[in-house]
Amino acid sequence: MELPELAARWMHALTSTAYIPLSHAEIEQALLESLRWLRQSPESVADRLVSLHATGPDSLRVTIDVLWPTFELKLLARLASAYAQAMRMDAFDQQEQIKVAIVRAKQRVERTLKVSQARFQEVFDSAALGIVITDLDGRCVEANDALAEIVGLDSGADLNDRDLTDFYHPGDVAALAASYRKVREGHVDRFRDQRKLIRVDGEPVWVYLAVSLLRDADGEPTHYVTMVEDISELHLLQRSLDHQLLHDSLTGLSNRQHFITQVERRLGSAPITLYHLGLDAFSVVNNGLGHETGDKLLKIVASRLGKLADEKKAVLARIGGDEFALMTTSDNVTVTIEEIQAVLAEATFVDDHGIALSASIGVVDRPPAFATANELLRSANAALRQAKARGKRQWALHDPHDDARRRGKYALAASMPGAWEHGEIEIVYAPVHDLETREVLGAVARLHWDDLSHNDTMALADSTGLSLPIGRWLLREACAQAARWVEEFGDRAPTLHIALGALQSRDEDLVADVKRALDETGLPPERLRIALDISSVLAGDDNAVVLHDSGIVTALDGFHGGHDELAVLTEVQVRAVITRAPAPGPDSPLRQAMRDLIATVHSFGVRFGVDEVHTIEEADHWRAVGADAVIGLLPALPPDDVTELLTTASLPPEAS
């Protein structure tokens, strides 16, 4: 939600809870400025609210209701705490003025005794805060009814001659006595503190205390004035917010933030083992039996893991949807994993369904003392990903060297959108050679980024979800370049070949993207060859069929020669298949098998191409077993270099 709209909603909510002596426009402008400062200084925003007199009984509640969807709970908790502090400070400032009035009234007793006494008594009795005057030994001289209500008595008179320390929590008596003594001895003018009182019925009540001195005409201390504000509701609210910030709302376990804090406390004091659990196939429960059943199962899992954690004196947290973390003092990893699996494997009846689970587990055992808690969780998560890649009910120990390699790959993938935006990713063109005639059949458009190949670049794009937009960009730019070559060189222009990644091959908008690229660039359809990833065709996608029906020549990339792939050739009309298998040498036992495979492909009227063939020797091996074309014999070139070669050569540059 935009900040001006949020400020308007906030203004309407606040003005319904308190009288603010400003126009709606002025209030809305002040709240808009507060929203802009909220993330940097929630304390100043709280002070601003109190200064605006937004101090109604429900002002804080409606503020949290309005801001909660936009701002995180932790920030709102700080705002609520600062608001309560500002309210207290405002109230105590007012009461401080009252106290000054009380002192002055006593000093003027000889002149205006009757008027001053009446004024003092009215303020004293009607104050919303509890007020008590005690002698220097702590015995109550006078107290108002507000204080009596706080401690569970009927009236302030019931406190007379009672020791105020009788109502302090036993654990606070010594600290409060020291604070009173500092005021009496002049070390401080007053003190304010949050403490716990004990009511006459034994129930605790949280209060905010403000204590100062009354002095006689000679300036000597005679009495203490103690003001008491009942903050039990605010204290409970703050504790509730703190609990929500640090605990998972569904299971009651520690959340990620709290778990990180506990790991930080344990690091360096004792060797630890960190387990990151991911429930296997939990989505099957959610999708098959419903999310309500899944939530119930998560509570049961949390309870069982909690008992195991208690037995091991370990720390347990839920750090994700179906992910948990367990921190133990270093123990036998395999034993602990078996215990975790045994706890989860026990069948549980939820809504009349007997359900059993297993977990994939990533383990970080005895990390170095200099490692941070966030780094350990990241390492455990990386180990969990490796365990999941192996299958269900697997576990993996964190390998720092393998993790460093993977992190480099992930860092490269994360930087790919910026590289594309800044033009660092280029399109180059690799020649396609006919093995029989040695002629160039066309040029394959490929991505080039730094030292990465086209396939590596597309793999990184797939991992970040960038493969579809970057694939469309490649298709459009390559068609535009091929159209310029056709316009300039006619029949001598190379036929454009484009190999699509797995995601783009099964994209529902692929056919429309191809037609749009041809229409916008003017490239004749017969000058384009589209190679689709064979896995998309095996999955039942019909893009290959629709492209063929639209007059686009197609091929299947990633061919391995399996039965299902051969069966596809009987159902889908394609011009060629492309493989990346190693070249079968003369002494290879696979040579005859490859020859037979290629012959079978030829029997379907389909040509056999090979990608990533970089030497003449490899090309000769492929020609010997019957392959038709290879890609990679010559380096891929930028479009300007290809244009220059086409301009200066009487034949396509690759053939010459």
Side-chain angles (χ1 to χ4, degrees):
M1 182 182 298
E2 297 294 328
L3 291 184
E5 181 181 357
L6 185 60
R9 289 187 56 191
W10 194 7
M11 180 271 294
H12 288 297
L14 278 181
T15 53
S16 67
T17 65
Y19 171 71
I20 301 177
L22 296 171
S23 68
H24 282 192
E26 291 172 326
I27 298 172
E28 186 173 340
Q29 180 61 33
L31 294 180
L32 180 59
E33 294 174 0
S34 297
L35 287 174
R36 292 169 178 161
W37 278 95
L38 181 55
R39 295 190 183 278
Q40 298 178 0
S41 179
E43 292 77 12
S44 64
V45 173
D47 291 338
R48 185 73 176 271
L49 288 176
V50 174
S51 67
L52 289 174
H53 301 291
T55 56
D58 295 324
S59 296
L60 177 59
R61 178 183 60 79
V62 301
T63 294
I64 293 177
D65 289 343
V66 171
L67 301 185
W68 175 75
T70 305
F71 296 91
E72 58 270 25
L73 192 56
K74 182 177 181 180
L75 186 65
L76 296 182
R78 288 179 59 191
L79 176 64
S81 179
Y83 179 85
Q85 176 72 8
M87 287 279 288
R88 287 195 294 271
M89 297 296 293
D90 183 67
F92 280 122
D93 286 343
Q94 296 180 32
Q95 293 300 325
E96 192 70 17
Q97 297 174 10
I98 294 172
K99 190 196 74 173
V100 172
I102 293 172
V103 174
R104 290 177 178 174
K106 282 184 173 290
Q107 292 175 342
R108 295 195 300 268
V109 66
E110 292 183 358
R111 293 181 287 116
T112 56
L113 179 60
K114 185 175 181 179
V115 174
S116 297
Q117 182 63 32
R119 183 183 302 164
F120 163 76
Q121 199 62 45
E122 178 63 26
V123 171
F124 191 83
D125 293 339
S126 62
L129 275 67
I131 305 175
V132 58
I133 300 174
T134 61
D135 60 24
L136 298 181
D137 294 326
R139 189 163 297 277
C140 297
V141 175
E142 189 173 3
N144 65 358
D145 293 343
L147 178 61
E149 183 179 355
I150 291 174
V151 298
L153 296 173
D154 294 333
S155 68
D158 296 333
L159 282 163
N160 291 343
D161 295 327
R162 297 189 64 166
D163 196 333
L164 186 60
T165 59
D166 293 343
F167 296 96
Y168 292 150
H169 189 277
D172 295 336
V173 172
L176 286 172
S179 297
Y180 273 97
R181 189 162 52 250
K182 288 180 180 179
V183 173
R184 179 178 178 179
E185 295 173 354
H187 298 299
V188 294
D189 293 333
R190 62 186 61 82
F191 78 85
R192 295 170 176 172
D193 204 354
Q194 181 176 310
R195 293 290 177 177
K196 187 161 55 175
L197 299 184
I198 303 299
R199 292 166 48 93
V200 294
D201 57 7
E203 291 295 322
V205 54
W206 282 93
V207 297
Y208 199 79
L209 301 175
V211 178
S212 58
L213 273 177
L214 291 178
R215 300 179 182 273
D216 60 17
D218 298 325
E220 294 297 322
T222 59
H223 296 84
Y224 294 111
V225 176
T226 302
M227 299 183 184
V228 183
E229 179 188 9
D230 185 352
I231 60 169
S232 296
E233 291 186 3
L234 284 175
H235 181 76
L236 291 174
L237 173 61
Q238 184 170 351
R239 289 190 63 183
S240 176
L241 290 174
D242 290 343
H243 187 274
Q244 291 179 39
L245 284 172
L246 299 176
H247 292 81
D248 173 51
S249 59
L250 177 65
T251 63
L253 297 177
S254 296
N255 61 12
R256 184 185 186 89
Q257 178 183 353
H258 193 206
F259 185 74
I260 288 176
T261 302
Q262 292 171 303
V263 173
E264 289 173 342
R265 291 175 181 171
R266 188 78 65 90
L267 275 175
S269 60
I272 65 171
T273 302
L274 194 63
Y275 301 86
H276 190 168
L277 288 65
L279 299 181
D280 293 330
F282 184 74
S283 59
V284 174
V285 177
N286 276 337
N287 296 332
L289 303 179
H291 287 271
E292 184 176 355
T293 300
D295 288 346
K296 292 178 181 178
L297 185 60
L298 284 175
K299 293 180 181 179
I300 295 173
V301 168
S303 175
R304 292 183 178 179
L305 292 177
K307 292 178 181 177
L308 179 62
D310 291 341
E311 294 173 2
K312 291 182 167 293
K313 296 182 180 179
V315 179
L316 176 67
R318 182 187 178 207
I319 59 176
D322 60 355
E323 296 184 1
F324 297 82
L326 184 73
M327 177 180 62
T328 67
T329 301
S330 289
D331 56 2
N332 189 310
V333 172
T334 56
V335 171
T336 300
I337 289 176
E338 289 174 358
E339 292 173 343
I340 292 173
Q341 298 291 11
V343 165
L344 297 177
E346 181 181 346
T348 302
F349 282 88
V350 181
D351 297 334
D352 296 328
H353 301 286
I355 305 171
L357 292 174
S358 63
S360 298
I361 305 174
V363 183
V364 178
D365 189 34
R366 300 177 184 270
F370 58 80
T372 65
N374 281 314
E375 177 65 18
L376 291 185
L377 276 182
R378 191 208 60 77
S379 298
N381 181 264
L384 174 60
R385 301 282 83 80
Q386 294 180 49
K388 284 183 174 291
R390 299 174 184 172
K392 310 299 183 185
R393 200 184 174 91
Q394 300 297 312
W395 68 278
L397 193 63
H398 175 246
D399 181 351
H401 302 292
D402 182 66
D403 185 37
R405 180 182 61 79
R406 291 175 182 271
R407 288 189 70 178
K409 177 182 176 181
Y410 295 148
L412 199 60
S415 65
M416 192 174 188
W420 182 33
E421 182 177 352
H422 289 90
E424 297 176 20
I425 300 178
E426 302 174 335
I427 300 176
V428 294
Y429 298 85
V432 182
H433 285 88
D434 187 289
L435 286 174
E436 187 65 30
T437 65
R438 303 299 178 105
E439 295 179 351
V440 174
L441 300 176
V444 180
R446 292 188 158 171
L447 298 176
H448 177 72
W449 179 31
D450 199 12
D451 293 329
L452 298 178
S453 68
H454 171 82
N455 293 330
D456 290 339
T457 304
M458 287 304 296
L460 290 178
D462 277 341
S463 67
T464 60
L466 194 63
S467 58
L468 286 181
I470 206 170
R472 295 188 184 106
W473 171 75
L474 170 65
L475 175 66
R476 184 177 59 255
E477 293 297 318
C479 285
Q481 181 60 59
R484 287 192 289 270
W485 285 333
V486 170
E487 181 179 357
E488 185 173 355
F489 302 107
D491 293 339
R492 292 177 49 236
T495 300
L496 177 64
H497 296 248
I498 298 179
L500 306 181
L503 291 180
Q504 192 177 15
S505 294
R506 64 174 66 101
D507 182 20
E508 293 183 355
D509 296 326
L510 173 62
V511 176
D513 290 338
V514 172
K515 290 183 177 180
R516 187 181 303 111
L518 294 175
D519 291 341
E520 292 177 354
T521 62
L523 179 68
E526 62 272 13
R527 307 292 298 187
L528 176 63
R529 306 286 187 269
I530 295 290
L532 295 95
D533 187 84
I534 196 168
S535 63
S536 66
V537 181
L538 291 174
D541 188 87
D542 61 352
N543 277 336
V545 175
V546 179
L547 285 172
H548 178 270
D549 293 343
S550 302
I552 307 297
V553 177
T554 57
L556 298 181
D557 193 14
F559 183 78
H560 296 93
H563 178 274
D564 291 345
E565 295 177 343
L566 291 172
V568 164
L569 299 182
T570 67
E571 302 169 359
V572 180
Q573 294 184 1
V574 295
R575 174 70 62 84
V577 296
I578 304 170
T579 187
R580 290 179 179 82
D587 301 327
S588 171
L590 298 177
R591 187 178 181 87
Q592 185 58 45
M594 186 60 71
R595 187 192 303 275
D596 293 340
L597 173 63
I598 294 175
T600 303
V601 171
H602 285 163
S603 69
F604 294 118
V606 177
R607 292 169 60 82
F608 194 94
V610 187
D611 196 358
E612 298 184 3
V613 176
H614 302 297
T615 67
I616 295 296
E617 182 182 8
E618 290 178 345
D620 288 340
H621 288 322
W622 280 112
R623 184 173 61 84
V625 295
D628 299 293
V630 293
I631 305 169
L633 277 181
L634 293 178
L637 298 175
D640 291 343
D641 292 351
V642 176
T643 301
E644 183 178 353
L645 289 174
L646 289 171
T647 302
T648 58
S650 59
L651 295 174
E654 293 84 353
S656 64

